[in-house]
Amino acid sequence: MKTKFPYIQVLNQTLNGFWTLFAFAPVLWFWTTAGPDHWLYIFLGTAVLFSLLPRKLLHRFRVGNRRTLYEKMGVRLMRRFI
């Protein structure tokens, strides 16, 4: 997105980075104190597996093909909130 004021984009990204670090601070704290568990490796392996799947196979994991199903699940409300 191009604006007349490029410093607004820098400020926006700085705020996004701050809130991301703020939100993940408890997770990082727990991970450093408790250490990585077997669940971490299970979730990482699953994420890597899904990232390597071809697009045709990945489309089979969708919940629905129509937009209305996602709107009934509350996506429209979440988009307004965000």
Side-chain angles (χ1 to χ4, degrees):
M1 167 167 58
K2 292 187 177 185
T3 63
K4 292 181 181 179
F5 309 106
Y7 64 89
I8 292 178
Q9 291 177 345
V10 173
L11 178 64
N12 188 21
Q13 289 303 319
T14 304
L15 288 173
N16 285 337
F18 169 75
W19 285 115
T20 301
L21 288 174
F22 184 72
F24 281 105
V27 175
L28 292 174
W29 175 77
F30 175 76
W31 187 36
T32 56
T33 57
D37 197 10
H38 66 280
W39 288 107
L40 173 69
Y41 300 115
I42 290 172
F43 285 122
L44 283 176
T46 306
V48 169
L49 177 70
F50 272 92
S51 70
L52 297 174
L53 289 177
R55 186 177 293 240
K56 285 185 178 182
L57 187 61
L58 198 58
H59 279 286
R60 292 186 181 190
F61 290 102
R62 288 188 297 190
V63 175
N65 293 330
R66 293 180 293 169
R67 184 177 177 171
T68 55
L69 178 65
Y70 293 103
E71 288 176 352
K72 286 180 183 178
M73 291 170 47
V75 172
R76 184 179 288 179
L77 176 66
M78 288 305 295
R79 287 181 68 192
R80 283 187 196 157
F81 177 71
I82 292 171

